[in-house]
């Protein structure tokens, strides 16, 4: 006899009533009754529970478990003893039962485990559940403190309990920090709670997926370890210990968890993994991939880039990196467009073809009958590569910053591109071989040639791309291309797939309007009936815990006016003194940040000063430990960091974070009939979303209090209404004295020590 399909809410109902033992399980359902089986160690004991009255009755015991005829007799006995005054629980549609169970979890179960009931969080989870049931594309904005991560984990888990399509869920993130929180905190916590309340029968499982460069290759580890051991150097002892642990299996395959340099990781990762490897039959990486590709995990956790790599790979006929999935969740979805531009874009450095030529010379040896022609073709590649990049530099136009320029493909570029593509095609033919010893090496070379030819093809058909040139060194440069119709490609490659999607972040809309996000990510081209939008406000008490300071006496921002810079530094110093440190200052310019930091260091003596440089996170930790420090930082500190408590009690935005001019924005400008349309549809929404992300650093817990200051005169004039509509409701002042009173009223004595 078949086991019942949807038992999660039934098991929980009996558990909450204290009617089921830990070892008991439901083995039969009939009308509004369930049959429980319990093995005592000697016999199998059977009881029935009426779901309406929640009364349990012992039926019988047997030496052996019931067979099919025994189940039939047990059903007849249950029905003869059951009442008839209730609606049959099993007749309620699974979608409604799922909704009821999810409401019960948020209203009753989570509070038992110290998690406060948040109305917006529960409502968000229920909307996510309905979107999953309706196969929708859900845009779920949840401001800081809403609890969106718990919401989608529970929504997906409950959805799968009442679904016949129990496929893994992909959770795509933008940061390692969120992946770590998911695997070490959120999923284990929810799993333990649901297990305890008999909602799930086994713990929620997950696997973290990364690109090949993050995993160790047993064969390469063995070879590299031998080469290091041969040197017999004392300073290599620690490295040898790690490599030995990798080779013996004592260390994990994930290189991110090991104390190794980027160079060592590049020498031992699996990027060159191939089927003919002598260790393939015992390869731990292949075993990991086989397990990860199975349907055995509830959640597949990856970053946006890997998920998009899978999308592009499947589009080009390659095998999927993931198993069949039932749901895709894009957390930190405001970063999806950046990842898409990386994955759909193309970059070609001026040294790539030179490196390819060097590899070709190394591979041909002395016995190759086509060596003379190959050498001649390689010389042509080097010559034409120089001509191509000289032409690109000569054709460079508008400068977006000191190292980025608009570029045109002129006739000289076209000639070089045609020649290079023809030469690479000819070399691909010459390197075709049936020699088994050379095949693997030659195949890798041919693959590199094909990749270069694809890049040249994109440049040749440049009309469909946005092009620009980046200077990366004195002589080094790279040409970059991005499809003009990226929105269409995303719509076609992702949003047309008929599975439910959840895209969530604290900043997806401008005042509840998702148009900007939908347009940029191609969602606006999806079926309208599939798109669902919701925005949940932060539960934090901004009206009482926050103050917005918009001074009206600041000069207009200017990079050339020394008076403007001095006015900013003076006001920063005043704010730091009034708030007694505890300040994060966000700049839109590294140059201005460095200048302001240097000047403030000479004026601020009561509070430690910190500056966050490019790629340096140690300043954040030092600021956090300082207790009352001042941190000067750029956009990198404007999102993704958690500075809860009094350490951050004053957040200062020096200039409104308008997007910096770049080739993509320059192209988007051409799509609008006038500048004001472009300003209102692209520039201002982009600024407001970034500003909301920055403000999200200020209050991270229910008890936090913070002063938010914008020292840009445009915030109190031209864009005042837009800014106030986009930010959480809070009191606004133009007086520095109000900031002083706010801090004095909200902070305790220890704050001022």
């Amino acid at each position: 006899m078949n086991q019942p399909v949807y038992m999660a809410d039934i098991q929980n109902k009996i558990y909450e009533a204290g009617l089921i033992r830990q070892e008991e399980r439901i083995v039969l359902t009939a009308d509004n009754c369930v049959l429980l089986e319990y093995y005592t160690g000697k016999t199998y004991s059977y009881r029935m529970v009426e779901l309406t009255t929640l009364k349990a009755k012992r039926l019988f015991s047997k030496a052996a478990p019931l067979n099919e005829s025994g189940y039939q007799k047990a059903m007849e006995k249950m029905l003869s003893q059951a009442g008839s005054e209730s609606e049959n629980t099993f007749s309620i549609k699974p979608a409604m039962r799922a909704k009821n169970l999810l409401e019960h979890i948020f209203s009753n179960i989570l509070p038992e485990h110290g998690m406060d009931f948040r109305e917006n969080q529960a409502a968000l989870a229920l909307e996510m559940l309905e979107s999953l049931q309706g196969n929708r594309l859900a845009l779920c904005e949840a401001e800081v403190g809403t609890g969106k991560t718990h919401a989608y984990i529970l929504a997906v888990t409950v959805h799968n309990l009442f679904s016949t399509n129990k496929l893994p869920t992909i959770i795509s993130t933008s940061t390692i920090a969120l992946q770590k929180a998911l695997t070490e905190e959120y999923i284990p916590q929810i799993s333990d709670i649901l297990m305890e309340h008999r909602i799930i029968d086994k713990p929620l499982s997950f696997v973290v997926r990364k690109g090949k460069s993050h995993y160790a290759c047993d064969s390469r580890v063995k070879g590299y370890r031998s080469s290091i051991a041969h040197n017999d150097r004392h300073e290599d002892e620690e490295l040898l210990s790690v490599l030995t642990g990798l080779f013996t299996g004592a260390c994990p395959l994930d290189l991110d968890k090991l104390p190794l340099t980027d160079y060592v990781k590049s020498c031992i990762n699996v990027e060159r993994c191939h089927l003919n490897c002598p260790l393939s039959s015992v390869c731990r990486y292949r075993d990991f991939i086989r397990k990860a590709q199975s349907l055995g995990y509830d959640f597949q956790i990856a970053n946006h880039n890997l998920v998009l790599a899978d999308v592009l790979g499947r589009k080009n006929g390659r095998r999927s990196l993931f198993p069949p999935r039932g749901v895709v969740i894009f957390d930190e979805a405001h970063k999806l467009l950046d990842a898409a531009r990386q994955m759909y874009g193309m970059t070609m450095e001026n040294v790539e073809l030179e490196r390819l030529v060097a590899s070709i010379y190394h591979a041909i040896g002395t016995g190759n009958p086509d060596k003379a022609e190959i050498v001649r073709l390689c010389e042509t590649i080097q010559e034409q590569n120089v001509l191509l990049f000289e032409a690109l530099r000569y054709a460079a136009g508008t400068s977006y910053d000191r190292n980025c320029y608009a570029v045109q493909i002129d006739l000289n570029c076209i000639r070089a591109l045609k020649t290079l593509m023809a030469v690479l095609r000819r070399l691909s033919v010459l390197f075709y071989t049936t020699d088994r010893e050379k095949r693997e090496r030659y195949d890798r070379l041919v693959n590199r040639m094909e990749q270069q030819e694809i890049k040249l093809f994109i440049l040749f058909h440049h009309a469909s791309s946005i092009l620009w040139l980046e200077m990366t060194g004195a002589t080094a440069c790279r040409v970059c291309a991005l499809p003009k119709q990226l929105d269409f490609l995303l719509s076609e490659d992702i949003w047309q797939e008929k599975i439910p999607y959840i895209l969530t972040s604290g900043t997806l809309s401008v005042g509840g309007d998702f148009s900007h996000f939908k347009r940029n990510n191609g969602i606006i081209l999806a079926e309208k009936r599939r798109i669902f939008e919701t925005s949940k406000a932060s539960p934090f008490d901004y009206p009482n815990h926050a103050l917005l300071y918009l001074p009206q006496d600041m000069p207009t921002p200017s990079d050339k006016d020394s008076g403007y810079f001095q006015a900013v530094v003076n006001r920063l110093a005043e704010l730091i003194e009034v708030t007694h440190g505890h300040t994060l200052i966000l700049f839109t310019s590294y140059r201005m940040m460095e200048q302001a930091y240097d000047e403030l260091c000479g004026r601020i003596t009561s509070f430690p000063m910190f500056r966050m440089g490019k790629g340096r996170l140690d300043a954040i930790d030092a600021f956090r430990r300082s207790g009352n420090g001042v941190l000067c930082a750029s956009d990198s500190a404007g999102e993704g960091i958690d500075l809860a408590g009094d350490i951050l009690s004053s957040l200062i935005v020096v200039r409104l974070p308008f997007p910096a001019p770049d080739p993509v924005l320059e192209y988007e400008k051409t799509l609008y009939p006038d500048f004001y349309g472009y300003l209102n549809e692209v520039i201002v929404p982009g600024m407001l979303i970034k500003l909301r992300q920055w403000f999200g650093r200020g209050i991270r817990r229910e008890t936090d209090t913070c002063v938010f200051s914008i020292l840009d005169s445009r915030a109190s004039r031209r864009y005042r209404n837009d800014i106030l509509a986009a930010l959480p409701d809070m009191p606004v002042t133009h007086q520095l004295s109000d900031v002083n009173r706010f801090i004095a009223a909200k902070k305790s004595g220890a704050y001022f020590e």
Side-chain angles (χ1 to χ4, degrees), residues 305-339:
N305 289 61
L306 188 66
V307 173
L308 291 174
D310 177 62
V311 168
L312 290 169
R314 288 185 288 115
K315 180 180 180 178
N316 293 320
R318 293 193 291 271
R319 182 184 175 189
S320 177
L321 301 174
F322 298 95
R325 61 253 195 230
V327 178
V328 176
I329 298 171
F330 287 106
D331 199 343
E332 300 175 314
H334 65 280
K335 286 290 190 179
L336 182 59
L337 181 62
D338 291 339

Side-chain angles (χ1 to χ4, degrees), residues 214-225 238-261 264-270 279 282-285:
H214 296 272
Y215 298 102
C217 167
D218 289 335
S219 178
R220 297 186 75 194
V221 168
K222 179 182 179 182
Y224 190 74
R225 178 181 173 278
E238 185 177 350
L239 175 58
L240 279 169
S241 176
V242 175
L243 293 173
T244 301
L246 268 172
F247 186 67
T248 59
C251 291
L253 281 177
D254 189 345
L255 296 174
D256 294 338
K257 299 179 180 179
L258 300 175
L260 299 172
T261 65
V264 172
K265 290 177 183 178
S266 70
C267 293
I268 62 174
N269 65 33
V270 297
L279 296 179
V282 292
C283 176
R284 289 184 297 149
Y285 172 72

Side-chain angles (χ1 to χ4, degrees), residues 563-637:
Y564 162 72
F565 174 77
Q566 202 58 51
V568 168
V569 172
N570 290 341
R571 192 56 50 88
L572 288 173
E574 291 172 342
L575 280 167
I576 291 169
E577 294 293 343
V578 166
T579 61
H580 298 264
H582 304 84
T583 299
L584 170 63
I585 310 172
L586 292 172
F587 295 83
T588 57
S589 161
Y590 276 107
R591 183 170 176 270
M592 186 177 185
M593 178 186 74
E594 291 168 355
Q595 291 176 336
Y597 172 80
D598 290 340
E599 182 135 350
L600 287 170
C601 282
R603 297 174 60 171
I604 302 298
T605 58
S606 302
F607 315 107
M609 296 288 302
F610 305 95
R611 179 182 61 187
M612 184 176 171
K614 292 183 179 179
R616 291 187 59 190
L617 299 178
D618 54 333
I620 294 177
D621 293 331
F623 169 68
R624 186 183 282 114
R625 292 193 300 269
S626 72
N628 64 351
V630 177
L631 174 62
C632 296
S634 63
D635 180 39
S636 56

Side-chain angles (χ1 to χ4, degrees), residues 144 301 338:
V144 60
I301 301 171
D338 291 339

Side-chain angles (χ1 to χ4, degrees), residues 290-399:
R290 279 192 294 270
K291 291 178 180 176
Q293 288 283 62
S294 72
L295 301 180
Y297 294 100
D298 296 303
F299 297 101
Q300 299 258 337
I301 301 171
N303 64 22
H304 295 338
N305 289 61
L306 188 66
V307 173
L308 291 174
D310 177 62
V311 168
L312 290 169
R314 288 185 288 115
K315 180 180 180 178
N316 293 320
R318 293 193 291 271
R319 182 184 175 189
S320 177
L321 301 174
F322 298 95
R325 61 253 195 230
V327 178
V328 176
I329 298 171
F330 287 106
D331 199 343
E332 300 175 314
H334 65 280
K335 286 290 190 179
L336 182 59
L337 181 62
D338 291 339
R341 287 175 174 172
Q342 291 178 32
M343 300 306 297
Y344 281 81
M346 182 279 291
T347 61
M348 182 176 181
E349 298 182 2
N350 62 334
V351 295
E352 287 184 26
L353 288 173
E354 293 178 5
R355 292 170 181 161
L356 176 61
V357 166
S359 297
I360 291 172
Y361 282 149
H362 186 69
I364 53 177
T366 56
N368 193 309
D370 300 311
K371 182 175 180 179
E373 183 179 2
I374 290 172
V375 169
R376 180 179 60 80
L377 292 172
C378 285
E379 290 173 350
T380 303
I381 287 177
Q382 291 174 310
E383 173 190 315
Q384 293 299 315
N385 182 59
V386 171
L387 292 175
L388 171 63
F389 279 91
E390 282 182 351
L392 288 171
R393 288 193 192 96
Y394 183 78
T398 304
S399 174

